[in-house]
Amino acid sequence: MADPDLPQPPSLQSADALAAALHSDLKQGLSAAEAARRLALDGPNRLRHAPPPPAWRRLLTQFQDPLIYLLMAAVGVTLLAWHIEGQVGWPVDALVIVVIVALNGVLGYVQESKAADAAAALARMVAATSSVMRDGMVQRVANDTLVRGDLLVLGEGDAVGADARLVRATALRVQEASLTGESESVLKHADTLHEPAAVADQRNMVFKGTAVAQGTGLAIVTATGMATQMGTIAHLLAEARQDATPLQKEIRRVGKMLGLAVIVICAVVVGSVLLVTEVHSVPALVSVMMLGVSLAVAAVPEGLPAILSMVLAIGVQRMARQRAIVKNLSSVETLGSASVICTDKTGTLTRSEMTLQRGMTASGGTHVTGVGYAPNGEVQHQGRTLTEGDVHSEHTALLSGGSLAGNADLRQTPDGQWEIQGDPTEAAFLVAEHKLGVQGLRGTRFERFAELPFTSDRKMMSVLAHDRTQDNAPVLVCKGAPDVLLARCTHLRVGDAIEPLTPERRAQALSHVDELSQAALRTLAVAYRPLAPHEDLSAGQDLEEQLIFVGTAGIIDPPRAEAGDAIAEARRAGLRVIMITGDHPRTAERIATDLGLIEPGARALTGTELDALDDAGFAHAVRNTSVFARVAPAHKLRIVDALQAQGHIVAMTGDGVNDAPALKTADIGVAMGITGTEVSKEAAKMILADDNFATIVEAVREGRAIFDNIRKFLRYLLSSNMGEVLTVFLGVIGAAWLGLLDDTHGVILPLLATQLLWVNLITDSGPALAMGMDPPSGDVMSRPPRRLSDRVIDLRMWMDVLLNGLVIAVCTLLTLDGYLPGGLLEGQEGLDVARTAAFTVLVLAQLFNAFSARSDMRSVFQSGNTNLWLWGAVGLSALLQVAVVHLPVLNVAFGTVPLTLAQWGVCLAMGSAVLWVSEMKKWAGRWMHPTP
């Protein structure tokens, strides 16, 4: 990003002119006082983002939900009724609702705060520091204290803390995959560019968020914070939209629908009571109003917001155990609803560990097993372990020569892990050399004393070493592009012999290179020449002639072993996986083929080809292409937009800065916790702490299980509450047939308002929450993903809700009628016994319904024993109902009387009817729609 205070871009200025413009000293650097002044003036070197909302505002957002609004309206009506009655006692009904709402808000606040704290802790873990020259001394400072004009001292393994113009570079190679998507390290120089260039081609610049893979350098900082190239991409995030998740949209729709239903039902029932009953007093009017309030509470599952938050919180905790940190509770379900996963390649599907896979020499080729930096594997020839002979001798020279002509280091940490220092491609030779078991020979035989570094013009590097087995005679060892080295070779190593490089032999070597390139392997060749005593060792590049060609190595950043299984699992689950990378098309095609993402021969579509398409052609390409290569951030955004326009719920994984805009625009963005950049983590809704693509599959499984559980407790809550509403509604409408008329022909309420509240209290939260803890069902990953147009509560569920609610209401009213004199069934008991029995049947029916609601097709006898939490919740609710029936203090509070054992048996039989009706419906469904 160009600095407005500079006359021209830093890459086009000489280092001296740039230092003068920035008032810096290329030898001493800035003084500590000047650095502090500039830091105070320009601000810290970090990406700007909106300050986090205060705690009180985050708490208030927990109450911005239609269901909460409905409950608070019910509280208002309840308080009004309490006031009209003369404010006698405590407004228990209102207090109960307020407590439930408050608990829900606190729960959501605490859980989201925990998720935010976990993400913040992860961000602190990846904070970096830089070496700078200040007051003529090298010192280590935090990256966010870097300022323009600082001199960065770069070494192997350093993270680049700010955008900077190189002043000096010695064999400096920088990994820029996080910025450009290119997996290969880029060779840098300090020369002034003569014309403007794209970021990837500014070889005299280093950028914030990249890492030094090899060499050393000195650079003057030209931009910090939002003025860096990373900041430029961060600006795109401000323009990317961020929609509500599908779950949030569905719950809002359910809330609006329930609100309308409550208004209609309350109006019909209250109106019916007023029409058939003469209301001549305020207490009578209050009774009718209390009936309306009771119906509102019965119709609205007030435990739903709390239960929803709890179920999502459980999902967050499960994902945390799987090394996935979810920043927002509702995002848990979204990943389970995803139909497309757009994933980056480098570091996400691949290991970011360059691995030497094949070697080609005069006597034959080899295959190197194992991946990564751990030297576990072997070198094989024709499917067998390579043994002594010509091929072994040639490959010893190839691997040891490539290791000698490099500056990487491979070492084992105290905990047994293997790590590298330096360029990953050079480290690949070291690992392969270990697998061949000849690494010790190189160390004892050769001693390096000079180097001719790699440059983009030469496309090769050379080292001079003393050969201890030849009286310390000097030898030149070269590594570089095969065509470049072959042009400098006159001889060929065959076994331990040296033979002329005939045209036929040269053609064979070139065919080996072509074979490796066709396999999407990066090719590097090795050559050498013993130097004569009379040769001038300071002749430099003039020594690199008449070389002896050894062979060519094929290197690749290998795919993660678990990624292939994860992709296969995703496909079985009906998810489409798309690779979107900035890497070379051939490399992308090879990785995609190895992982089973595309069929052999399928090709990637490049960003240049995408630019040539109109909107219709672009949409067709997105619909039919699984690999996109050489794409820019704008392409990723457009691809995600096209997929969403086609009705998909899109998940986007990535770790680089170039992934961030698409991460935010996607329905759910998944960032990498280890290799991910700060800006990608900020944009994402989920962070994978282990960078493991396979973790996404577990997240999908958990997300689908959560959605299933949400449907389970919605089916249960709505059908149970429907039973309450229909009990009161049908009891009022059919009062004459049920014997519910008093001496003045006024309607007797089938249940009291306090009894309805008690039913909600003991049957809503406990069993529903226990359903939210159901483990994933066995077929959760064998179903297609949920379509964007699918509803949480579909027509089929509504039919279940109405049927079960009607069965619950009919059984409750029949029990009431069976104990009352008159009506359809002649009874002998008083109103208190009849109402207590009906009240008990309503509770028991809902508890039986808790088991039935766990599946709309599977029998309760196949799935009823797998959730001990549900058994515990049902058992506790049953004990509380026994208490409200038999404890005198609760008899007074809820208008109940003790029941006999025989009466309990009747209640149990009537309450279980909902289970048997549900079982018959499920059997009919399985018979009509058998599953394979």
Side-chain angles (χ1 to χ4, degrees), residues 51-64 109:
W56 63 269
R57 181 171 296 173
R58 286 188 286 123
L59 181 59
L60 286 181
T61 59
Q62 305 300 321
F63 302 99
Q64 296 175 359
Y109 171 80

Side-chain angles (χ1 to χ4, degrees), residues 750 812 815-820 829-839 897 899:
T812 301
T815 303
L816 180 69
D817 184 40
Y819 282 109
L820 280 177
E829 301 290 345
L831 177 62
D832 289 341
V833 172
R835 186 178 274 160
T836 300
F839 173 37
V897 294
L899 299 176

